[in-house]
Amino acid sequence: MPRVTPITTKEQVAAEHQSIFDAVAEGRGSVRGPFSIMMYSPEMCGRVLNTSNFLRFQSSVKPKEGELAICATAREKDCPFVWAAHVTLARKAGTREEAIAVVRDRKDAGGLAPDERAIVTYVRQLLRNNRVEQAVFDALKDRYGGPWVVELTGIIGH
């Protein structure tokens, strides 16, 4: 439960910041979830929106991979809002149901396809241990490249 009233209508925002409200609403259909709280700091909200849009729509991490990482992050952090919002997007992006089930049920990722296993393991190690084993990092770096791993890490942190 939020400790401040979520900002969900344009009228709640000062005129000089309504363009930020509009940008959030345009890209997400409405202002809700974390953005409804971030609107208390419109400048920050706009910067987070720009980062979010880059990571989700312009980075080298394709939606199928990024949505799997977002779902794994949501599950590790027990974020039902993020999970509900992104599991549908993961399916639309082509993430396999087997991978979604492993993440949802917190099962061993060993039976997943190598790319799925590497992403889920990377997320889990990073969030559980604050570090990633070299072999897991190398598997992703060798497959996708260093910039991709940096952007994947940005998605996880975001």
Side-chain angles (χ1 to χ4, degrees), residues 56-114:
R56 289 192 52 219
F57 307 120
Q58 297 165 331
S59 84
S60 60
V61 179
K62 300 294 182 236
K64 179 179 174 182
E65 302 147 350
E67 292 299 334
L68 178 59
I70 293 168
C71 287
T73 300
R75 190 66 179 117
E76 287 300 307
K77 291 298 186 180
D78 294 319
C79 296
F81 178 86
V82 175
W83 172 268
H86 286 275
V87 73
T88 300
L89 295 172
R91 287 182 175 115
K92 286 181 184 175
T95 303
R96 294 180 328 119
E97 283 300 321
E98 294 84 352
I100 292 170
V102 163
V103 170
R104 180 191 61 232
D105 300 335
R106 292 190 168 117
K107 291 185 177 178
D108 180 67
L112 295 177

